[in-house]
Amino acid sequence: MSFVEVVIKVPLPRTFDYLLIEAQTVTVGCRVEVSFANRTLVALVVALKNHSNVPVNKIKPITRIIDCYPILSAQHIELLRFTAQYYCHPLGETLFTALPASLRSGEHPDKTTVATVTLTAKGAELPKLRSKKQQALLSQLAGSGASSVTELKALGFTKQQIDALQEKALVEKSLEHDTKWTQAPRTINSKPRLNEEQAAAFSVINQQQGYRTFLLEGITGSGKTEVYLQCLEKIVNSGRQALVLVPEIGLTPQTVNRFRRRFPDTPIDLWHSNLTDNERLHVWRRTEQGSCALVIGTRSSIFLPFKNLGMMVVDEEHDSSFKQQDGLRYHARDLAVYRSAHANIPLILGTATPALETLRKAINNKFQLLTLSKRAETKVANQFLLIDMKGQIEQGGFAPSTLQHIERTLACAKQVMVFLNRRGYAPTLLCHECGWLSQCTHCSASTTFHKAMARLVCHHCSQQSYVPAQCPDCGSTQIMPVGLGTEQLEDFLKGHFPDTPISRIDRDSTRRKGALETALADINAGGSRILVGTQMLAKGHHFADVNLVVMLDVDGGLYSSDFRATEHMAQLITQVAGRAGRSGEPGTVLLQTHFPDHPLLQDLVNNGYQDFARYALKERQEVELPPYTHLALVRVEGTNAKLVIDFLTDLVPATPYSGIQLLGPIPAPMERVAGKYRYQLHIQAPERPVLHRYLAQLLSYISEHKLANRVRWSIDIDPMDTY
């Protein structure tokens, strides 16, 4: 008798055996339908067996074989096995997480056609149109040639805009069949000449044969992307594929346009959360068949089944968005290192502010460090100024000297960026009479006042309520906003500079599809002179006219319970500061702080992130924190706080486990979210094998615990935060 070992998308850390009848043939990596708990589910075959430890009379036969050929290769299944084991996640859920939704539901994998948009002869003349977006779409097609509907949507264009141009006979849509990508040399458009440091980095990477991870540590504006492009040229011309991981979908349109200009006739696909299920399946299939040469994608693109992968690039490798925060809590950067090593290909980790974990590996020669210390366009570094806020009479959150700097910059016809990583009008409302605060009824947090919507919104559970006219506790009408948000900054600046165009970039102002791209285009065209925004505005964008950057409220990272807070603060300041002075003239960066003499701030502004990071590593080593030890969190939440605490308390052994330090149960920094109480158990070990051996025993114990099904629990390996 023959059996198959399958995995199913269920939260159980095991595989299942099913009977293969004589007329059925199947191979590893194929999908089958099976009967499971009175349901018919899609399963994936991970092994073929001649015997089973389960009694034959208890083994069910396969209901139906879905695939004639494997949809996952043995090598890809091995990658996902490692992922499941390392991140302590069920294998079935891990494998199905890596599949597009269409394949998880049993649909056919072949999507061999793609909707493509091209200019007609009439459209190629680029007639003037009333609609700015339709005009921009014509210009995009004129520059890139034929583009898929998927790509145009990713660039901020809508189906309605495409259809409108089609009705005017300016564009035409067609279904084109994928063709295998040939190894013929591709067209490479003109490229700038590399400076001495860029050329040295390119030479080292280009000569690499086989696996090596390179940390390209380059200050903002030093030309890291140009090094990526020239390194990828060799990969593209050899007929191999490449993956470029970017941290956020907001950076993708800008990045893909630059890659398309350099490689005009190279198949480039995008992968991000805004794709439809069919679009994701199409990109997934093209990577598997080798039809696309290059994928630019966010973190989940690390699981794409490339046929002939030749290089990977992780841009802004320090960015926390590469870490998945629920379900399978993987880190795309770390999996990129593992995948590159097993595929025997080079990996480039690029950043101006390397994560301390990455930097330590470079210092220990596990990664090769390549440094770009000079800005490509500007010979003089930006000037940092610390504005002491003690005793200052603020206006709308600004010190008087800060407003003077803004006025002088605007008078020189330059742009100003004002950064505050807090959206809304104010973090909370306060009653002046009794001290009432606008609290969320479901979370241990205040609700944020959004003036434009006239709503109080919880940014943790999304609960909304109307702004009260009177205090719910004492009936007073003296309710006032407390604290600053980007919406309030925009209001103040509009009043203070009434004749100056202002743009606000945050999650609220860019909700509509294409709003971010429209705003960025307006900024680059010089329409807006003051830019107000959160992290959406800070990272990766190139604004040539920005000469002054103002950062408000930089003190939050100096005094925090999170041991990574100062690292994240330094990375954020460095990244935001890098938006200034990109046109050839040195820029100015103003940091408003109540602690201008703080040694960490002084080190950062006087010596740069590189010196700061190396000092921070010494501090981590002295107090035995990651990356010098290894950390895992058991996160538990539930509507009954006692059950949560009891469950975690039972996980603490009566006698200490050798090499393991435990802390907890302790409440999460935000104890209650969406009506659920959240507690944690911190597990720390000096050696990773010791940590994983302990976690294996812990998982076995949890699987039999009587409370395991009454609370929601998860294990987070190498957590990026403790929220």
Side-chain angles (χ1 to χ4, degrees), residues 369-444:
L369 179 62
L370 303 171
T371 303
L372 304 179
S373 60
K374 301 175 183 176
R375 303 191 82 173
E377 300 293 338
T378 309
K379 303 303 180 185
V380 182
N382 288 338
Q383 178 187 16
F384 280 85
L385 296 177
L386 295 174
I387 307 297
D388 189 353
M389 298 299 291
K390 294 192 295 290
Q392 295 268 15
I393 300 175
E394 297 183 18
Q395 296 182 36
F398 295 91
S401 59
T402 302
L403 292 173
Q404 292 171 10
H405 274 92
I406 294 176
E407 290 172 3
R408 286 197 293 268
T409 304
L410 294 174
C412 295
K414 293 293 185 180
Q415 289 175 316
V416 177
M417 177 188 290
V418 179
F419 176 85
L420 178 66
N421 204 24
R422 190 184 303 123
R423 60 192 174 99
Y425 190 87
T428 190
L429 290 181
L430 168 73
C431 174
H432 186 62
E433 295 289 333
C434 71
W436 168 86
L437 292 172
S438 57
Q439 295 283 339
C440 177
T441 57
H442 301 295
C443 304
S444 305

Side-chain angles (χ1 to χ4, degrees), residues 46 119 125 218 277 448:
V46 293
L119 291 175
E125 297 174 0
D277 288 345
T448 300

Side-chain angles (χ1 to χ4, degrees), residues 669-691:
M670 187 167 295
E671 183 178 352
R672 188 165 174 257
V673 172
K676 294 181 179 179
Y677 295 91
R678 310 190 308 163
Y679 283 75
Q680 303 172 345
L681 178 64
H682 291 231
I683 307 171
Q684 192 169 327
E687 302 293 336
R688 192 171 295 284
V690 175
L691 177 65

Side-chain angles (χ1 to χ4, degrees), residues 31-50:
R31 293 170 300 161
V32 295
E33 273 187 2
V34 298
S35 175
F36 183 86
N38 297 322
R39 294 179 295 164
T40 299
L41 300 179
V42 175
L44 190 77
V45 177
V46 293
L48 304 178
K49 305 166 71 172
N50 292 322

Side-chain angles (χ1 to χ4, degrees), residues 131 153 172 230 238 335 350 395 425 460 472 492 567 571 613:
S131 169
K153 287 181 178 178
E172 58 185 3
Q230 298 205 20
S238 67
L335 285 180
Q395 296 182 36
Y425 190 87
H460 302 280
F492 170 78
E567 176 189 358
Q571 289 169 341

Side-chain angles (χ1 to χ4, degrees), residues 272-454:
H272 50 79
S273 58
N274 287 353
L275 298 182
T276 66
D277 288 345
N278 281 340
E279 289 168 342
R280 292 172 77 84
L281 177 57
H282 179 75
V283 176
W284 192 92
R285 190 62 164 159
R286 279 168 55 82
T287 62
E288 182 195 32
Q289 294 178 330
S291 299
C292 72
L294 179 64
V295 173
I296 301 170
T298 49
R299 62 174 174 258
S300 60
S301 61
I302 190 61
F303 296 123
L304 286 172
F306 289 91
K307 182 179 181 180
N308 188 18
L309 190 59
M311 177 178 281
M312 282 198 280
V313 176
V314 182
D315 191 30
E316 308 293 354
E317 66 82 24
H318 68 277
D319 200 284
S320 59
S321 62
F322 284 124
K323 172 75 171 179
Q324 176 70 26
Q325 296 294 350
D326 54 23
L328 173 61
R329 297 173 183 263
Y330 65 93
H331 199 301
R333 178 201 62 214
D334 297 342
L335 285 180
V337 174
Y338 176 86
R339 188 170 186 182
S340 295
H342 281 257
N344 198 29
I345 60 174
L347 167 67
I348 305 174
L349 305 178
T351 178
T353 55
L356 296 189
E357 290 83 357
T358 306
L359 183 59
R360 188 197 176 206
K361 290 179 180 178
I363 292 173
N364 292 343
N365 294 320
K366 292 183 178 179
F367 298 163
Q368 184 165 351
L369 179 62
L370 303 171
T371 303
L372 304 179
S373 60
K374 301 175 183 176
R375 303 191 82 173
E377 300 293 338
T378 309
K379 303 303 180 185
V380 182
N382 288 338
Q383 178 187 16
F384 280 85
L385 296 177
L386 295 174
I387 307 297
D388 189 353
M389 298 299 291
K390 294 192 295 290
Q392 295 268 15
I393 300 175
E394 297 183 18
Q395 296 182 36
F398 295 91
S401 59
T402 302
L403 292 173
Q404 292 171 10
H405 274 92
I406 294 176
E407 290 172 3
R408 286 197 293 268
T409 304
L410 294 174
C412 295
K414 293 293 185 180
Q415 289 175 316
V416 177
M417 177 188 290
V418 179
F419 176 85
L420 178 66
N421 204 24
R422 190 184 303 123
R423 60 192 174 99
Y425 190 87
T428 190
L429 290 181
L430 168 73
C431 174
H432 186 62
E433 295 289 333
C434 71
W436 168 86
L437 292 172
S438 57
Q439 295 283 339
C440 177
T441 57
H442 301 295
C443 304
S444 305
S446 299
T447 51
T448 300
F449 173 42
H450 287 255
K451 185 177 180 181
M453 298 191 302

Side-chain angles (χ1 to χ4, degrees), residues 163-327:
D163 290 345
L165 291 183
Q166 189 175 18
E167 290 176 4
K168 296 173 183 176
L170 299 176
V171 303
E172 58 185 3
K173 283 196 287 188
S174 60
L175 289 177
E176 292 190 0
H177 286 269
D178 286 345
T179 56
K180 296 297 181 185
W181 188 46
T182 64
Q183 293 191 14
R186 321 302 294 185
T187 300
I188 308 294
N189 278 346
S190 59
K191 52 192 176 186
R193 184 174 181 177
L194 300 177
N195 63 30
E196 185 176 335
E197 288 184 332
Q198 289 174 310
F202 165 72
S203 178
V204 171
I205 298 170
N206 199 44
Q207 292 175 17
Q208 178 64 33
Q209 300 293 326
Y211 167 70
R212 183 68 167 160
T213 294
F214 300 95
L215 172 58
L216 188 61
E217 184 183 23
I219 64 172
T220 50
S222 60
K224 294 184 292 294
T225 304
E226 186 57 41
V227 176
Y228 304 157
L229 288 165
Q230 298 205 20
C231 289
L232 290 169
E233 181 180 329
K234 176 182 176 182
I235 303 300
V236 168
N237 273 334
S238 67
R240 289 176 294 169
Q241 298 168 289
L243 170 63
V244 178
L245 283 158
V246 294
E248 296 176 10
I249 182 55
L251 303 183
T252 303
Q254 175 177 310
T255 303
V256 74
N257 276 335
R258 185 165 181 182
F259 276 77
R260 278 220 172 277
R261 287 194 298 269
R262 180 62 59 85
F263 306 116
D265 61 349
T266 296
I268 298 177
D269 281 333
L270 307 183
W271 180 273
H272 50 79
S273 58
N274 287 353
L275 298 182
T276 66
D277 288 345
N278 281 340
E279 289 168 342
R280 292 172 77 84
L281 177 57
H282 179 75
V283 176
W284 192 92
R285 190 62 164 159
R286 279 168 55 82
T287 62
E288 182 195 32
Q289 294 178 330
S291 299
C292 72
L294 179 64
V295 173
I296 301 170
T298 49
R299 62 174 174 258
S300 60
S301 61
I302 190 61
F303 296 123
L304 286 172
F306 289 91
K307 182 179 181 180
N308 188 18
L309 190 59
M311 177 178 281
M312 282 198 280
V313 176
V314 182
D315 191 30
E316 308 293 354
E317 66 82 24
H318 68 277
D319 200 284
S320 59
S321 62
F322 284 124
K323 172 75 171 179
Q324 176 70 26
Q325 296 294 350
D326 54 23

